[in-house]
Amino acid sequence: MSVTVLVGAQFGDEGKGKVVDYLSADMDMVVRFQGGDNAGHTVVNEHGTFKLHLIPCGIFKKGCKALANTGMVINPDELLKEIDQIEAQGVDTSNLFISMRAIILMPYHIELDKLSESSGRTGIGTTKRGIGYAYADRARRNALRFEDLLDPEYCEKRVRSIMPTINAEVVAKGGKEFTAEEIIEKTRYWAERLKNRIVEPVSFVNNAINRGEKILFEGQLGAMKDIDLGIYPYVTSSNPVAAYAAVSGGFPISKISEIVGVMKAFSSAVGDGPFPTEMETELADGFRGKGDQIDDEFGARTGRARRLGWLDLPIVKYAATINGFTALAVCKIDKLDTYKEIKVCVGYKLDGKEIDYMPSARDLYKVEPVYVTMEGWLQSTKGVRKYEDLPENAQKYISLIEEYTGVKVKYIGVGPARDEIIVK
Ligand code: GDP
Ligand code: IMO
Ligand code: MG
């Protein structure tokens, strides 16, 4: 039995795509289990450079099944675009499957998200991909699922029954009504193009587990953006934590054997919300780059400049607590190569007193980070492939992460490409 779940340990964009691509060499199946095309998972390998939004990053491994599972909200137009794009780059997608229970993200979800964000009242800074509205429709039982595409008559009836509610909301927000016909036409097109990929997911996953296949569940975003455990309301609308892979996948949680937390060697976030270790503009600009390199700090989905900060260990420890990491992957250590001094947050003070828990967003705005200053290593780590060859101060940095979080670091990223990794 080998089920590994890999999730983000900070605010998202930690380098999950790169690590999934690396680990998939050993996998029979890679599964996305929450979120939608708000994700941007960067992969640099022998096929080229990709920013995947919906397709699991295991798609590049020959023979590996890639499942977009229950728990996801999937925009079929975006999925088809992504399939066409990567096929044009020579990648075989015949092993890509979609759960019949996954939610269909509709054009009106995107419109509602855009209208809300542009009203300036939400203050969340979403990706405007309709994610929150698709999950809201799931909760109020107004959503369509991929299984509905397989029964055109039923699908048409469902669309006609929900459109008045949807349109009332669109119009109330100042948007233009959608016709049932245009949505029905889309569902017919999606059915035509995607029907052969739709599977019954519980048997698909459990049978693979029982056959002893190696399965990797690929999380989207990170712990601090979890709808229940993150910095509510500046969060996404799903649970990017390891246990949710089992909840949405319909397999026993006891089957999970490894939980890998992916973190950056510093911190980044897009969108609004508290960010205790955020750097002042000048320093952040140096870290971010100009946007002409694949690993510069601009959102892989929206292109927005990412907010940047020093490593915040209370956040990584919190992520370890709620996920139960068995290993950490630390990406982008190479991005610290040129800094003489590196600050690391090792605690928070709230109203002058150190606290030992992760406060909610309201208080996180008020905390004062407690820093230690580490000596930098001032040499390139990009070509390093063995842990012993890392500069001594870089090793000390890794040791601090391990000691603080109580989790062993197993992978260290020293560049964006698949092979730019150290296995410790
Ligand atoms: P994800 O959303 O967690 O998959 O992360 P993103 O792909 O959105 O952002 C991570 C960024 O860091 C991408 O630009 C990657 O190419 C890059 N990256 C990942 N690991 C490393 C690393 O070890 N070193 C460097 N320099 N870049 C990395
Ligand atoms: P990956 O998978 C970084 C952020 C948005 C916003 C909040 C809610 O690449 O790590 P949403 O569109 O989900 O309703 O927006 O979450 N956000 C991300 N930030 N990386 C992502 O994905 C993100 N997906 C959503 O900026 O703050
Ligand atoms: Mg990303």
Side-chain angles (χ1 to χ4, degrees):
M1 167 184 103
S2 172
V3 174
T4 302
V5 186
L6 176 149
V7 289
Q10 294 157 316
F11 297 91
D13 300 330
E14 298 91 348
K16 297 177 294 291
K18 178 210 157 101
V19 182
V20 171
D21 178 53
Y22 173 79
L23 294 178
S24 60
D26 202 28
M27 296 293 158
D28 300 302
M29 193 187 321
V30 177
V31 186
R32 275 276 308 270
F33 60 93
Q34 42 73 231
D37 67 299
N38 48 347
H41 294 181
T42 313
V43 170
V44 181
N45 61 24
E46 76 272 21
H47 299 277
T49 295
F50 305 84
K51 291 179 184 183
L52 294 185
H53 305 300
L54 287 164
I55 298 179
C57 293
I59 193 74
F60 303 99
K61 192 214 160 179
K62 214 169 181 302
C64 178
K65 293 177 282 275
L67 174 66
N69 206 9
T70 317
M72 288 186 75
V73 290
I74 301 173
N75 176 343
D77 284 333
E78 285 298 318
L79 181 62
L80 287 164
K81 195 158 92 187
E82 202 163 298
I83 292 171
D84 292 345
Q85 267 168 5
I86 71 169
E87 284 201 336
Q89 285 176 267
V91 180
D92 174 24
T93 67
S94 54
N95 267 333
L96 173 67
F97 302 96
I98 308 162
S99 161
M100 67 184 210
R101 296 172 192 262
I103 299 293
I104 300 178
L105 189 146
M106 291 285 190
Y108 45 78
H109 294 135
I110 300 169
E111 183 63 11
L112 286 164
D113 197 356
K114 284 184 181 161
L115 289 167
S116 295
E117 284 289 311
S118 59
S119 75
R121 283 195 292 270
T122 67
I124 293 170
T126 74
T127 56
K128 299 185 188 166
R129 294 276 154 182
I131 305 299
Y133 286 91
Y135 278 114
D137 266 350
R138 177 182 76 161
R140 62 181 180 175
R141 276 100 356 125
N142 258 349
L144 270 80
R145 311 205 298 187
F146 277 80
E147 62 184 336
D148 299 335
L149 296 179
L150 304 174
D151 183 343
E153 215 174 293
Y154 175 80
C155 194
E156 181 171 340
K157 229 193 288 170
R158 284 277 290 152
V159 172
R160 290 196 192 285
S161 74
I162 62 179
M163 285 320 287
T165 313
I166 302 291
N167 275 327
E169 201 176 347
V170 172
V171 170
K173 284 187 154 45
K176 197 170 140 280
E177 282 194 10
F178 288 79
T179 64
E181 281 65 35
E182 68 187 296
I183 302 297
I184 291 163
E185 198 180 310
K186 272 193 171 289
T187 60
R188 290 200 183 120
Y189 171 69
W190 295 333
E192 193 46 46
R193 287 215 49 200
L194 293 170
K195 62 176 185 284
N196 294 336
R197 298 184 187 270
I198 300 171
V199 295
E200 193 293 300
V202 175
S203 60
F204 196 83
V205 168
N206 279 284
N207 290 345
I209 293 175
N210 294 336
R211 283 194 298 267
E213 292 185 17
K214 288 190 166 178
I215 309 177
L216 176 64
F217 286 82
E218 171 185 354
Q220 185 249 335
L221 255 171
M224 296 305 277
K225 294 281 187 171
D226 182 283
I227 190 167
D228 294 308
L229 299 159
I231 44 169
Y232 193 88
Y234 312 99
V235 290
T236 194
S237 308
S238 64
N239 298 97
V241 288
Y244 195 67
V247 173
S248 62
F251 66 89
I253 207 141
S254 56
K255 298 283 182 190
I256 299 175
S257 45
E258 302 273 344
I259 301 175
V260 179
V262 184
M263 59 179 281
K264 260 181 189 159
F266 45 98
S267 305
S268 78
V270 280
D272 298 326
F275 188 173
T277 64
E278 189 161 15
M279 288 166 176
E280 63 272 24
T281 319
E282 213 170 293
L283 191 56
D285 284 349
F287 255 93
R288 185 178 296 116
K290 293 192 171 65
D292 52 355
Q293 301 296 317
I294 186 68
D295 55 350
D296 284 348
E297 291 290 348
F298 291 84
R301 175 74 273 187
T302 59
R304 288 180 287 181
R306 290 186 186 136
R307 298 163 67 192
L308 295 165
W310 295 112
L311 177 58
D312 186 327
L313 282 177
I315 284 180
V316 180
K317 191 169 181 177
Y318 177 65
T321 302
I322 64 180
N323 282 291
F325 296 150
T326 57
L328 278 167
V330 181
C331 289
K332 291 198 142 179
I333 193 96
D334 54 301
K335 286 285 175 180
L336 297 175
D337 287 351
T338 56
Y339 291 85
K340 204 162 157 238
E341 288 188 334
I342 301 166
K343 282 172 45 167
V344 181
C345 170
V346 292
Y348 297 146
K349 277 188 180 165
L350 184 61
D351 301 324
K353 280 199 207 103
E354 277 210 39
I355 54 170
D356 64 355
Y357 61 92
M358 181 54 63
S360 66
R362 247 172 350 112
D363 280 344
L364 206 55
Y365 268 120
K366 293 191 262 172
V367 299
E368 188 195 323
V370 178
Y371 287 107
V372 292
T373 301
M374 307 279 290
E375 230 178 275
W377 42 94
L378 298 175
Q379 53 181 292
S380 174
T381 54
K382 260 190 96 75
V384 177
R385 294 294 175 271
K386 286 198 199 126
Y387 187 69
E388 314 79 86
D389 296 338
L390 267 184
E392 196 186 335
N393 286 346
Q395 293 193 19
K396 282 189 185 157
Y397 197 76
I398 297 295
S399 298
L400 175 67
I401 295 170
E402 291 183 325
E403 279 157 26
Y404 191 94
T405 60
V407 185
K408 285 279 169 216
V409 172
K410 193 161 171 196
Y411 310 98
I412 301 165
V414 289
R418 179 191 279 169
D419 64 338
E420 290 177 308
I421 200 162
I422 296 168
V423 181
K424 183 166 167 267

